[in-house]
Amino acid sequence: MACENNLVVKQIIDLYTQISNLESLKPSKNVDTLFGQLVSTCLPTDTDIDVTKIHDEKVKDMRSHLIKLCGEAEGYLEQHFSTIIGSFEDNPLNHLHIFPYYNNYLKLSKLEFDLLAQHTCHVPTKIAFIGSGPMPLTSIVLAKFHLPNTTIHNFDIDSEANTLASNLVSRDPDLSERMIFHTTDVLNAKEGLDQYDVVFLAALVGMDKESKVKAIEHLEKHMAPGAVLMLRSAHGLRAFLYPIVDSCDLKGFEVLTIYHPSDDVVNSVVIARKLGGLGEVRSSQIERCVVMPCNCSKIHAIMNSRGIKKNMIEEFTAIE
C-alpha cells in the first residue's frame, strides 16, 4: 500500500510534524488547535486505510511516535483540568462539564456499560480500572450514572495523578466511599486482581504492542476465571491516535465483542472473558442469563439481527 501518498495520511503526517516540533504539549491555544485538527482528520470511518497493513517503515514509525505524543498530551490535558475542577469549593463533580471531552466520556462509558450488560449475569460489585489517570471520568460516570452500588478501584502508576483524581471525589458523599485509588504499576498488581468481576484496561496503558500484550498477559495470570476484561482499541484512521488491540493479543481469554463506533467516540471497545469457570460457557449461553439493565437499543438491534454463534467473535461497526 502506498499509504504515504494517501491525501489523508499526508495530512496526518503534516500535523505530526507540527506537533512533534512543539516546545511543550501542555494545553495552549496552539496545542489545542493542532490536536483538534488531528482528531477531526482521524475521525472519518469511510476509509479503506488499514494501519495494520502499512508496510512503509517511515509511516509506521511516525504512527508509533504520534500515539505516544497523543498520550503525553492527553495526560497534560487531564492534569490541567483535574487541577481546575478540583479547586472548586463545592463538589467538584458538579463541574465536570468544563472538561472539553466530557460528553465523549459520557457516550463512551454508556456504550461500555451497555456492551458489558450483554455479557454478564449480574451487576458487578467490584470493578478495577487500570490506568485511571488524574481525571478518572470513566470510573466516575459509571459509578454515578450506571453502577450506583459498585465499588471501583482505580490503579495508576503516578501518585500525583491519584492525588488529583481522589480530590475530585473527596467532597462527594457517595463516590468518596466507592472510589478507591491505588498507586502501583499494573505489572506489580498481583494479589487481589482475582477479586474483581470486571477489569478495565485504559487505552494508554501499553503504548506499543509489546507493552500492551505484557499488561494483558499479566491480567490473564491474575484475574479470576470468568471475569470480564474491557479494553479500548482503535480502528481505521483512529489507529493513528491509539494502539490497536487484536483478538490474537488476548490469549487465555474468549473475545466476546469488538465494537467500532462511527461517531465522535474515538475508541473501539473490546470485551473478553477470562477462560475457566464461566469463561468456558459460550456467549450464546451467557446472553440468556443477563439481568443487568441495558438501554442501548441500537446495540441490541445490531446484535439481534446478526446473532451470536458459537466460537464466533462479534465484531461490528455502529450503524448510523
Side-chain angles (χ1 to χ4, degrees):
M1 176 190 295
C3 187
E4 70 278 9
N5 294 323
N6 180 280
L7 180 60
V8 178
V9 174
K10 281 184 174 180
Q11 292 174 339
I12 293 171
I13 292 172
D14 178 60
L15 288 166
Y16 161 76
T17 301
Q18 295 180 66
I19 290 170
S20 60
N21 287 327
L22 290 169
E23 291 185 6
S24 170
L25 295 177
K26 293 182 179 180
S28 67
K29 184 177 180 180
N30 195 23
V31 170
D32 297 347
T33 298
L34 285 173
F35 277 102
Q37 291 174 349
L38 178 64
V39 172
S40 297
T41 303
C42 293
L43 273 182
T45 56
D46 56 342
T47 175
D48 59 356
I49 292 177
D50 181 350
V51 300
T52 65
K53 296 179 180 177
I54 293 175
H55 301 298
D56 186 283
E57 291 299 325
K58 289 183 180 179
V59 177
K60 288 166 70 174
D61 290 344
M62 179 277 293
R63 173 180 171 259
S64 296
H65 190 216
L66 182 58
I67 288 173
K68 291 176 182 177
L69 292 174
C70 289
E72 186 179 347
E74 189 171 322
Y76 283 133
L77 185 72
E78 290 190 6
Q79 184 182 56
H80 175 74
F81 279 95
S82 184
T83 301
I84 292 173
I85 294 170
S87 67
F88 284 94
E89 293 184 3
D90 62 336
N91 189 339
L93 300 186
N94 295 333
H95 305 277
L96 291 177
H97 62 276
I98 293 173
F99 186 66
Y101 296 106
Y102 178 58
N103 285 334
N104 294 70
Y105 275 93
L106 288 176
K107 292 179 184 178
L108 177 58
S109 298
K110 185 177 187 305
L111 168 63
E112 290 175 324
F113 171 77
D114 285 335
L115 287 170
L116 177 62
Q118 303 288 334
H119 297 290
T120 187
C121 293
H122 63 280
V123 177
T125 57
K126 288 176 69 176
I127 286 178
F129 195 101
I130 311 296
S132 47
M135 194 85 168
L137 281 174
T138 298
S139 296
I140 290 171
V141 171
L142 286 173
K144 276 191 72 172
F145 302 116
H146 304 297
L147 297 168
N149 299 306
T150 300
T151 301
I152 301 180
H153 290 249
N154 301 277
F155 293 80
D156 201 278
I157 197 171
D158 187 343
S159 60
E160 183 182 353
N162 274 339
T163 298
L164 288 169
S166 60
N167 183 51
L168 291 177
V169 302
S170 63
R171 295 191 286 285
D172 186 271
D174 177 25
L175 265 60
S176 61
E177 297 294 323
R178 294 194 293 121
M179 294 269 286
I180 299 167
F181 296 89
H182 307 272
T183 301
T184 186
D185 186 330
V186 61
L187 298 179
N188 296 327
K190 298 177 181 178
E191 295 181 6
L193 283 177
D194 60 351
Q195 300 300 307
Y196 300 106
D197 306 302
V198 180
V199 176
F200 281 79
L201 185 65
L204 299 181
V205 175
M207 298 296 288
D208 55 57
K209 175 67 75 175
E210 183 180 353
S211 54
K212 179 76 74 176
V213 169
K214 194 174 181 181
I216 292 170
E217 288 175 344
H218 179 80
L219 293 174
E220 191 276 330
K221 277 185 184 176
H222 299 286
M223 285 173 60
V228 172
L229 178 62
M230 305 278 295
L231 309 99
R232 289 173 182 172
S233 182
H235 183 64
L237 291 171
R238 300 167 187 220
F240 281 101
L241 306 175
Y242 290 101
I244 294 172
V245 177
D246 293 313
S247 56
C248 60
D249 299 329
L250 291 157
K251 293 180 175 64
F253 291 91
E254 178 192 6
V255 180
L256 304 173
T257 296
I258 301 174
Y259 183 91
H260 305 303
S262 58
D263 56 8
D264 57 353
V265 174
V266 176
N267 290 113
S268 300
V269 179
V270 180
I271 304 178
R273 192 184 303 279
K274 169 78 179 287
L275 293 176
L278 276 178
E280 294 175 350
V281 181
R282 291 287 138 194
S283 308
S284 54
Q285 295 170 288
I286 291 289
E287 188 184 30
R288 287 197 291 270
C289 68
V290 169
V291 296
M292 285 179 67
C294 176
N295 299 316
C296 192
S297 58
K298 182 181 289 187
I299 293 172
H300 278 163
I302 295 169
M303 296 190 75
N304 290 337
S305 66
R306 292 185 57 177
I308 303 177
K309 299 178 181 178
K310 266 192 171 186
N311 302 317
M312 172 180 167
I313 298 170
E314 191 72 17
E315 180 167 5
F316 52 95
T317 302
I319 300 171
E320 294 299 336

PDB file of all heavy atoms in Angstrom, residues 289-311:
ATOM      1  N   CYS A 289     -28.702 -15.283  30.373  1.00  0.00           N
ATOM      2  CA  CYS A 289     -28.849 -15.051  31.812  1.00  0.00           C
ATOM      3  C   CYS A 289     -28.562 -13.611  32.202  1.00  0.00           C
ATOM      4  O   CYS A 289     -28.362 -13.303  33.354  1.00  0.00           O
ATOM      5  CB  CYS A 289     -27.945 -16.003  32.600  1.00  0.00           C
ATOM      6  SG  CYS A 289     -26.189 -15.673  32.401  1.00  0.00           S
ATOM      7  N   VAL A 290     -28.531 -12.683  31.234  1.00  0.00           N
ATOM      8  CA  VAL A 290     -28.261 -11.285  31.528  1.00  0.00           C
ATOM      9  C   VAL A 290     -29.385 -10.689  32.373  1.00  0.00           C
ATOM     10  O   VAL A 290     -30.553 -10.818  32.049  1.00  0.00           O
ATOM     11  CB  VAL A 290     -28.114 -10.471  30.219  1.00  0.00           C
ATOM     12  CG1 VAL A 290     -28.095  -8.980  30.515  1.00  0.00           C
ATOM     13  CG2 VAL A 290     -26.840 -10.880  29.498  1.00  0.00           C
ATOM     14  N   VAL A 291     -29.007 -10.030  33.486  1.00  0.00           N
ATOM     15  CA  VAL A 291     -30.011  -9.365  34.310  1.00  0.00           C
ATOM     16  C   VAL A 291     -29.711  -7.881  34.469  1.00  0.00           C
ATOM     17  O   VAL A 291     -30.511  -7.152  35.021  1.00  0.00           O
ATOM     18  CB  VAL A 291     -30.110 -10.016  35.708  1.00  0.00           C
ATOM     19  CG1 VAL A 291     -30.596 -11.439  35.601  1.00  0.00           C
ATOM     20  CG2 VAL A 291     -28.767  -9.969  36.447  1.00  0.00           C
ATOM     21  N   MET A 292     -28.542  -7.428  33.992  1.00  0.00           N
ATOM     22  CA  MET A 292     -28.235  -6.013  34.088  1.00  0.00           C
ATOM     23  C   MET A 292     -29.139  -5.217  33.155  1.00  0.00           C
ATOM     24  O   MET A 292     -29.418  -5.649  32.044  1.00  0.00           O
ATOM     25  CB  MET A 292     -26.774  -5.757  33.706  1.00  0.00           C
ATOM     26  CG  MET A 292     -25.776  -6.155  34.762  1.00  0.00           C
ATOM     27  SD  MET A 292     -24.093  -5.849  34.193  1.00  0.00           S
ATOM     28  CE  MET A 292     -24.096  -4.065  34.100  1.00  0.00           C
ATOM     29  N   PRO A 293     -29.604  -4.033  33.609  1.00  0.00           N
ATOM     30  CA  PRO A 293     -30.404  -3.203  32.723  1.00  0.00           C
ATOM     31  C   PRO A 293     -29.546  -2.650  31.602  1.00  0.00           C
ATOM     32  O   PRO A 293     -28.397  -2.309  31.796  1.00  0.00           O
ATOM     33  CB  PRO A 293     -30.885  -2.069  33.651  1.00  0.00           C
ATOM     34  CG  PRO A 293     -29.832  -1.990  34.712  1.00  0.00           C
ATOM     35  CD  PRO A 293     -29.365  -3.402  34.922  1.00  0.00           C
ATOM     36  N   CYS A 294     -30.104  -2.565  30.406  1.00  0.00           N
ATOM     37  CA  CYS A 294     -29.365  -2.046  29.264  1.00  0.00           C
ATOM     38  C   CYS A 294     -30.315  -1.241  28.403  1.00  0.00           C
ATOM     39  O   CYS A 294     -31.380  -1.720  28.030  1.00  0.00           O
ATOM     40  CB  CYS A 294     -28.752  -3.193  28.463  1.00  0.00           C
ATOM     41  SG  CYS A 294     -27.913  -2.645  26.977  1.00  0.00           S
ATOM     42  N   ASN A 295     -29.935  -0.004  28.118  1.00  0.00           N
ATOM     43  CA  ASN A 295     -30.833   0.887  27.387  1.00  0.00           C
ATOM     44  C   ASN A 295     -30.366   1.175  25.969  1.00  0.00           C
ATOM     45  O   ASN A 295     -30.888   2.065  25.317  1.00  0.00           O
ATOM     46  CB  ASN A 295     -30.940   2.225  28.147  1.00  0.00           C
ATOM     47  CG  ASN A 295     -31.507   2.019  29.522  1.00  0.00           C
ATOM     48  OD1 ASN A 295     -32.474   1.286  29.686  1.00  0.00           O
ATOM     49  ND2 ASN A 295     -30.894   2.645  30.529  1.00  0.00           N
ATOM     50  N   CYS A 296     -29.364   0.445  25.509  1.00  0.00           N
ATOM     51  CA  CYS A 296     -28.808   0.760  24.189  1.00  0.00           C
ATOM     52  C   CYS A 296     -29.514  -0.059  23.118  1.00  0.00           C
ATOM     53  O   CYS A 296     -29.062  -1.121  22.722  1.00  0.00           O
ATOM     54  CB  CYS A 296     -27.306   0.494  24.172  1.00  0.00           C
ATOM     55  SG  CYS A 296     -26.494   1.170  22.731  1.00  0.00           S
ATOM     56  N   SER A 297     -30.645   0.431  22.654  1.00  0.00           N
ATOM     57  CA  SER A 297     -31.459  -0.321  21.709  1.00  0.00           C
ATOM     58  C   SER A 297     -30.734  -0.535  20.386  1.00  0.00           C
ATOM     59  O   SER A 297     -30.945  -1.532  19.715  1.00  0.00           O
ATOM     60  CB  SER A 297     -32.783   0.405  21.463  1.00  0.00           C
ATOM     61  OG  SER A 297     -32.549   1.711  20.976  1.00  0.00           O
ATOM     62  N   LYS A 298     -29.872   0.413  19.995  1.00  0.00           N
ATOM     63  CA  LYS A 298     -29.152   0.276  18.734  1.00  0.00           C
ATOM     64  C   LYS A 298     -28.226  -0.934  18.787  1.00  0.00           C
ATOM     65  O   LYS A 298     -28.146  -1.714  17.847  1.00  0.00           O
ATOM     66  CB  LYS A 298     -28.345   1.537  18.442  1.00  0.00           C
ATOM     67  CG  LYS A 298     -27.599   1.474  17.117  1.00  0.00           C
ATOM     68  CD  LYS A 298     -26.790   2.727  16.856  1.00  0.00           C
ATOM     69  CE  LYS A 298     -27.661   3.906  16.544  1.00  0.00           C
ATOM     70  NZ  LYS A 298     -26.887   5.094  16.138  1.00  0.00           N
ATOM     71  N   ILE A 299     -27.548  -1.097  19.914  1.00  0.00           N
ATOM     72  CA  ILE A 299     -26.652  -2.246  20.060  1.00  0.00           C
ATOM     73  C   ILE A 299     -27.463  -3.528  20.054  1.00  0.00           C
ATOM     74  O   ILE A 299     -27.120  -4.510  19.414  1.00  0.00           O
ATOM     75  CB  ILE A 299     -25.823  -2.136  21.347  1.00  0.00           C
ATOM     76  CG1 ILE A 299     -24.853  -0.962  21.241  1.00  0.00           C
ATOM     77  CG2 ILE A 299     -25.050  -3.425  21.609  1.00  0.00           C
ATOM     78  CD1 ILE A 299     -24.129  -0.638  22.509  1.00  0.00           C
ATOM     79  N   HIS A 300     -28.595  -3.540  20.764  1.00  0.00           N
ATOM     80  CA  HIS A 300     -29.463  -4.717  20.771  1.00  0.00           C
ATOM     81  C   HIS A 300     -29.874  -5.077  19.349  1.00  0.00           C
ATOM     82  O   HIS A 300     -29.849  -6.237  18.943  1.00  0.00           O
ATOM     83  CB  HIS A 300     -30.718  -4.432  21.598  1.00  0.00           C
ATOM     84  CG  HIS A 300     -30.498  -4.603  23.066  1.00  0.00           C
ATOM     85  ND1 HIS A 300     -31.348  -4.093  24.000  1.00  0.00           N
ATOM     86  CD2 HIS A 300     -29.519  -5.227  23.768  1.00  0.00           C
ATOM     87  CE1 HIS A 300     -30.928  -4.390  25.214  1.00  0.00           C
ATOM     88  NE2 HIS A 300     -29.806  -5.068  25.094  1.00  0.00           N
ATOM     89  N   ALA A 301     -30.279  -4.067  18.591  1.00  0.00           N
ATOM     90  CA  ALA A 301     -30.777  -4.319  17.242  1.00  0.00           C
ATOM     91  C   ALA A 301     -29.688  -4.921  16.367  1.00  0.00           C
ATOM     92  O   ALA A 301     -29.926  -5.855  15.606  1.00  0.00           O
ATOM     93  CB  ALA A 301     -31.281  -3.012  16.625  1.00  0.00           C
ATOM     94  N   ILE A 302     -28.474  -4.383  16.485  1.00  0.00           N
ATOM     95  CA  ILE A 302     -27.367  -4.903  15.689  1.00  0.00           C
ATOM     96  C   ILE A 302     -27.077  -6.340  16.071  1.00  0.00           C
ATOM     97  O   ILE A 302     -26.952  -7.215  15.224  1.00  0.00           O
ATOM     98  CB  ILE A 302     -26.109  -4.036  15.897  1.00  0.00           C
ATOM     99  CG1 ILE A 302     -26.339  -2.627  15.368  1.00  0.00           C
ATOM    100  CG2 ILE A 302     -24.908  -4.674  15.202  1.00  0.00           C
ATOM    101  CD1 ILE A 302     -25.261  -1.653  15.756  1.00  0.00           C
ATOM    102  N   MET A 303     -27.001  -6.598  17.375  1.00  0.00           N
ATOM    103  CA  MET A 303     -26.609  -7.925  17.819  1.00  0.00           C
ATOM    104  C   MET A 303     -27.702  -8.946  17.538  1.00  0.00           C
ATOM    105  O   MET A 303     -27.431 -10.081  17.154  1.00  0.00           O
ATOM    106  CB  MET A 303     -26.267  -7.901  19.308  1.00  0.00           C
ATOM    107  CG  MET A 303     -25.059  -7.021  19.615  1.00  0.00           C
ATOM    108  SD  MET A 303     -24.482  -7.195  21.292  1.00  0.00           S
ATOM    109  CE  MET A 303     -23.661  -8.778  21.206  1.00  0.00           C
ATOM    110  N   ASN A 304     -28.944  -8.548  17.715  1.00  0.00           N
ATOM    111  CA  ASN A 304     -30.029  -9.492  17.488  1.00  0.00           C
ATOM    112  C   ASN A 304     -30.197  -9.809  16.009  1.00  0.00           C
ATOM    113  O   ASN A 304     -30.576 -10.914  15.632  1.00  0.00           O
ATOM    114  CB  ASN A 304     -31.339  -8.925  18.045  1.00  0.00           C
ATOM    115  CG  ASN A 304     -31.320  -8.895  19.556  1.00  0.00           C
ATOM    116  OD1 ASN A 304     -30.574  -9.631  20.176  1.00  0.00           O
ATOM    117  ND2 ASN A 304     -32.137  -8.036  20.147  1.00  0.00           N
ATOM    118  N   SER A 305     -29.932  -8.818  15.158  1.00  0.00           N
ATOM    119  CA  SER A 305     -30.089  -9.054  13.724  1.00  0.00           C
ATOM    120  C   SER A 305     -28.985  -9.947  13.178  1.00  0.00           C
ATOM    121  O   SER A 305     -29.185 -10.685  12.228  1.00  0.00           O
ATOM    122  CB  SER A 305     -30.090  -7.722  12.963  1.00  0.00           C
ATOM    123  OG  SER A 305     -28.834  -7.086  13.063  1.00  0.00           O
ATOM    124  N   ARG A 306     -27.807  -9.872  13.823  1.00  0.00           N
ATOM    125  CA  ARG A 306     -26.696 -10.683  13.342  1.00  0.00           C
ATOM    126  C   ARG A 306     -26.595 -11.998  14.094  1.00  0.00           C
ATOM    127  O   ARG A 306     -26.094 -12.979  13.571  1.00  0.00           O
ATOM    128  CB  ARG A 306     -25.380  -9.903  13.503  1.00  0.00           C
ATOM    129  CG  ARG A 306     -25.286  -8.704  12.589  1.00  0.00           C
ATOM    130  CD  ARG A 306     -23.935  -8.057  12.702  1.00  0.00           C
ATOM    131  NE  ARG A 306     -22.886  -9.032  12.402  1.00  0.00           N
ATOM    132  CZ  ARG A 306     -21.600  -8.718  12.372  1.00  0.00           C
ATOM    133  NH1 ARG A 306     -21.225  -7.504  12.621  1.00  0.00           N
ATOM    134  NH2 ARG A 306     -20.703  -9.639  12.095  1.00  0.00           N
ATOM    135  N   GLY A 307     -27.032 -11.971  15.363  1.00  0.00           N
ATOM    136  CA  GLY A 307     -26.969 -13.189  16.166  1.00  0.00           C
ATOM    137  C   GLY A 307     -25.585 -13.437  16.707  1.00  0.00           C
ATOM    138  O   GLY A 307     -24.604 -12.895  16.239  1.00  0.00           O
ATOM    139  N   ILE A 308     -25.484 -14.240  17.756  1.00  0.00           N
ATOM    140  CA  ILE A 308     -24.202 -14.633  18.320  1.00  0.00           C
ATOM    141  C   ILE A 308     -24.086 -16.137  18.192  1.00  0.00           C
ATOM    142  O   ILE A 308     -24.911 -16.873  18.725  1.00  0.00           O
ATOM    143  CB  ILE A 308     -24.089 -14.223  19.801  1.00  0.00           C
ATOM    144  CG1 ILE A 308     -24.301 -12.716  19.949  1.00  0.00           C
ATOM    145  CG2 ILE A 308     -22.753 -14.629  20.366  1.00  0.00           C
ATOM    146  CD1 ILE A 308     -24.279 -12.252  21.384  1.00  0.00           C
ATOM    147  N   LYS A 309     -23.070 -16.606  17.499  1.00  0.00           N
ATOM    148  CA  LYS A 309     -22.921 -18.025  17.268  1.00  0.00           C
ATOM    149  C   LYS A 309     -21.743 -18.557  18.063  1.00  0.00           C
ATOM    150  O   LYS A 309     -20.856 -17.834  18.445  1.00  0.00           O
ATOM    151  CB  LYS A 309     -22.707 -18.297  15.776  1.00  0.00           C
ATOM    152  CG  LYS A 309     -23.891 -17.836  14.917  1.00  0.00           C
ATOM    153  CD  LYS A 309     -23.624 -18.086  13.445  1.00  0.00           C
ATOM    154  CE  LYS A 309     -24.796 -17.597  12.595  1.00  0.00           C
ATOM    155  NZ  LYS A 309     -24.528 -17.790  11.163  1.00  0.00           N
ATOM    156  N   LYS A 310     -21.747 -19.846  18.255  1.00  0.00           N
ATOM    157  CA  LYS A 310     -20.664 -20.483  18.970  1.00  0.00           C
ATOM    158  C   LYS A 310     -19.328 -20.196  18.297  1.00  0.00           C
ATOM    159  O   LYS A 310     -19.209 -20.211  17.089  1.00  0.00           O
ATOM    160  CB  LYS A 310     -20.875 -21.999  19.024  1.00  0.00           C
ATOM    161  CG  LYS A 310     -21.582 -22.476  20.275  1.00  0.00           C
ATOM    162  CD  LYS A 310     -21.481 -23.968  20.367  1.00  0.00           C
ATOM    163  CE  LYS A 310     -21.973 -24.459  21.717  1.00  0.00           C
ATOM    164  NZ  LYS A 310     -21.748 -25.894  21.845  1.00  0.00           N
ATOM    165  N   ASN A 311     -18.308 -19.957  19.172  1.00  0.00           N
ATOM    166  CA  ASN A 311     -16.947 -19.763  18.693  1.00  0.00           C
ATOM    167  C   ASN A 311     -16.826 -18.606  17.698  1.00  0.00           C
ATOM    168  O   ASN A 311     -15.964 -18.602  16.838  1.00  0.00           O
ATOM    169  CB  ASN A 311     -16.403 -21.040  18.042  1.00  0.00           C
ATOM    170  CG  ASN A 311     -16.419 -22.212  18.985  1.00  0.00           C
ATOM    171  OD1 ASN A 311     -16.049 -22.059  20.142  1.00  0.00           O
ATOM    172  ND2 ASN A 311     -16.859 -23.369  18.518  1.00  0.00           N
TER     173      ASN A 311
END
